[in-house]
Amino acid sequence: IPGGRECISFALLTPLLARFMKVGRMSFLSLNSAPGQTGITCSSSCSDIFFTSSSTHIPPSLPPSLPPSLFKDELWRIQEKLECYFGSLVGSNVYITPAGSQGLPPHYDDVEVFILQLEGEKHWRLYHPTVPLAREYSVESEDRIGRPAHEFTLKPGDFLYFPRGTIHQADTPPGLAHSTHVTISTYQNNSWGDFLLDTISGLVFDTAKEDLEFRAGIPRQLLLQVDATAVATRLSAFLRTLADRLEGTKELLSADMKKDFVMNRLPPYCMGDRAELSVPGGPLPRLDSTVRLQFKDHTVLTVGPDQDQSDETQEKMVYIYHSLKNRRETHMMGNEDTESHGLRFPLSHLDALKQIWGHSAIPVKDLRLTTNEEKENLVLSLWTECLIQVL
Ligand SMILES: O=C(O)CCC(=O)C(=O)O
């Protein structure tokens, strides 16, 4: 955060209002509304902030808008740091609301919310959640939300955090200038439930390879049964088997979460030339080198089935995905054009990779691989992707 201090502990469970820093004016939006115009544009071509004379709104018919972090380097820097810190995607939205008006009705979001007031003042009302730790966005009617638990006005430089599910509404008081704030949000679909869904299918798949019971056919007409009691008993026995197996598991197979995160996040913040992220530099690693992992916060290591083989013969491979070559334009876009960047190795390389990940520096000859050639090839591949440095 500009002027930066460690700002907030994520462990905070109650809304925090902290007037802890004055960032001056980060006025990165240019107001250029004209009479009769329903929208304003921010920065050069970003059109994700619109208002009518009485409200802030995002027209549903607009194509997906470009992220504010594309236009403001400071936001790129803040969001990228927070993505490293949380290990979860961090988005941002900018809201401009004219004096004497309110944009959104009372609602809650499926994300942790950090708000920085940039220009003007905004009057906030926060309410106890009707759905704690909500998993989706929802509007709440005035008669369901009761009285505000917190009410205050944010001024430029003020910072506010509230947890997922907190019902909130905000308005710009009359007689003042318009208000501009940026909302930075994270932890969407990042709960234990999501993680279970992500990992459990791989565990079932692996178990079924070894355990005949998992491969036995389900009883005839099971899908037509109305009463689930007997099936539930049987299923809980399977879940116990899975739990026992999980206790001793060192590698969890993540179906999508790790890869989605690394593919859709921001690249490391860097001004000017991005060569250090795409062109390997410094001496080539050799058997007598000592190497160090770099950009660790931007890589994930995961074990998964070899996508080149059929289900039956599938061997497991180690995949290393990184975000060094990600583009700011596609941050959180999650579309088919988003590419994943990385490497894959046979499972026999996992221990050596864990050594590299676990040590601040490691001599190549100490890597737990059978041959010197394998050791050299491993570090050379990582070096080619700019993931290691020779010390
Ligand atoms: O300014 C508004 O109308 C609402 C803003 C909001 O919901 C947010 O920043 O999360």
Side-chain angles (χ1 to χ4, degrees):
I1 289 187
R5 281 194 238 159
E6 259 297 297
C7 54
I8 193 163
S9 152
F10 192 57
L12 285 176
L13 285 176
T14 53
L16 170 80
L17 170 64
R19 195 165 295 172
F20 77 107
M21 61 179 189
K22 296 288 168 201
V23 293
R25 295 191 144 219
M26 273 176 69
S27 17
F28 56 93
L29 298 161
S30 60
L31 300 184
N32 54 12
S33 56
Q37 184 180 357
T38 53
I40 56 162
T41 52
C42 77
S43 199
S44 47
S45 61
C46 159
S47 58
D48 62 347
I49 297 143
F50 267 63
F51 71 79
T52 62
S53 59
S54 62
S55 69
T56 315
H57 69 275
I58 304 171
S61 56
L62 274 182
S65 56
L66 294 168
S69 59
L70 186 58
F71 300 94
K72 195 67 189 164
D73 289 342
E74 283 89 338
L75 269 180
W76 173 17
R77 187 163 156 211
I78 293 168
Q79 287 176 236
E80 187 256 318
K81 282 279 163 295
L82 290 175
E83 285 185 340
C84 292
Y85 179 72
F86 289 121
S88 176
L89 295 174
V90 174
S92 63
N93 296 302
V94 177
Y95 296 82
I96 300 177
T97 316
S101 63
Q102 171 163 346
L104 303 174
H107 68 279
Y108 57 81
D109 299 300
D110 59 350
V111 280
E112 304 291 330
V113 174
F114 300 87
I115 284 167
L116 184 58
Q117 184 69 25
L118 303 174
E119 298 180 311
E121 295 186 10
K122 197 122 194 203
H123 168 240
W124 282 85
R125 281 170 287 172
L126 307 185
Y127 306 78
H128 290 299
T130 43
V131 182
L133 300 179
R135 294 173 48 79
E136 56 194 4
Y137 164 91
S138 178
V139 169
E140 275 292 17
S141 64
E142 291 277 357
D143 53 333
R144 266 174 56 88
I145 61 180
R147 292 169 59 78
H150 301 271
E151 187 165 359
F152 46 80
T153 299
L154 295 186
K155 303 214 163 80
D158 285 348
F159 184 73
L160 168 70
Y161 160 74
F162 52 82
R164 187 152 49 100
T166 304
I167 300 166
H168 54 281
Q169 59 178 327
D171 61 277
T172 308
L176 298 171
H178 68 270
S179 155
T180 308
H181 78 260
V182 58
T183 297
I184 294 178
S185 53
T186 188
Y187 257 64
Q188 188 175 44
N189 301 333
N190 207 35
S191 65
W192 277 112
D194 295 306
F195 190 60
L196 265 169
L197 287 174
D198 190 57
T199 47
I200 218 81
S201 60
L203 185 67
V204 174
F205 187 81
D206 267 5
T207 312
K209 270 192 183 166
E210 288 161 27
D211 188 330
L212 211 59
E213 283 210 58
F214 278 69
R215 301 210 299 271
I218 54 174
R220 193 172 61 82
Q221 296 190 337
L222 180 108
L223 304 181
L224 305 179
Q225 279 178 24
V226 180
D227 183 11
T229 326
V231 177
T233 312
R234 191 79 185 93
L235 275 182
S236 41
F238 280 114
L239 287 174
R240 265 178 224 112
T241 307
L242 288 177
D244 290 342
R245 194 185 155 92
L246 198 55
E247 297 277 344
T249 298
K250 284 206 236 124
E251 292 86 42
L252 279 175
L253 275 76
S254 164
D256 298 312
M257 276 175 87
K258 283 188 175 193
K259 190 173 172 197
D260 282 353
F261 169 52
V262 94
M263 271 172 74
N264 284 296
R265 62 183 294 193
L266 284 163
Y269 173 77
C270 66
M271 296 309 296
D273 184 14
R274 296 187 56 192
E276 70 166 314
L277 304 177
S278 53
V279 185
L284 233 74
R286 299 186 190 287
L287 194 60
D288 58 358
S289 311
T290 294
V291 295
R292 184 179 78 86
L293 183 68
Q294 56 179 5
F295 301 112
K296 186 177 176 182
D297 283 349
H298 276 268
T299 55
V300 299
L301 201 151
T302 180
V303 174
D306 182 354
Q307 283 131 13
D308 291 347
Q309 292 176 9
S310 78
D311 272 8
E312 287 303 313
T313 51
Q314 240 171 17
E315 290 294 316
K316 289 230 212 66
M317 303 288 284
V318 187
Y319 292 86
I320 291 169
Y321 298 110
H322 65 79
S323 41
L324 307 192
K325 295 176 189 153
N326 285 8
R327 291 167 51 233
R328 282 165 84 183
E329 292 80 351
T330 55
H331 180 227
M332 292 177 74
M333 291 295 182
N335 59 28
E336 286 105 48
D337 305 337
T338 317
E339 273 181 85
S340 62
H341 302 281
L343 298 164
R344 66 176 191 166
F345 299 97
L347 202 54
S348 56
H349 287 46
L350 184 58
D351 278 349
L353 287 162
K354 282 187 177 170
Q355 283 178 285
I356 299 174
W357 258 248
H359 291 84
S360 51
I362 179 121
V364 176
K365 63 175 168 7
D366 291 356
L367 291 174
R368 284 197 285 273
L369 279 167
T370 323
T371 66
N372 288 340
E373 198 188 352
E374 281 178 324
K375 296 177 190 180
E376 276 195 323
N377 284 343
L378 171 63
V379 288
L380 199 60
S381 329
L382 293 169
W383 181 84
T384 314
E385 284 293 298
C386 305
L387 294 178
I388 57 167
Q389 233 183 0
V390 176
L391 297 178

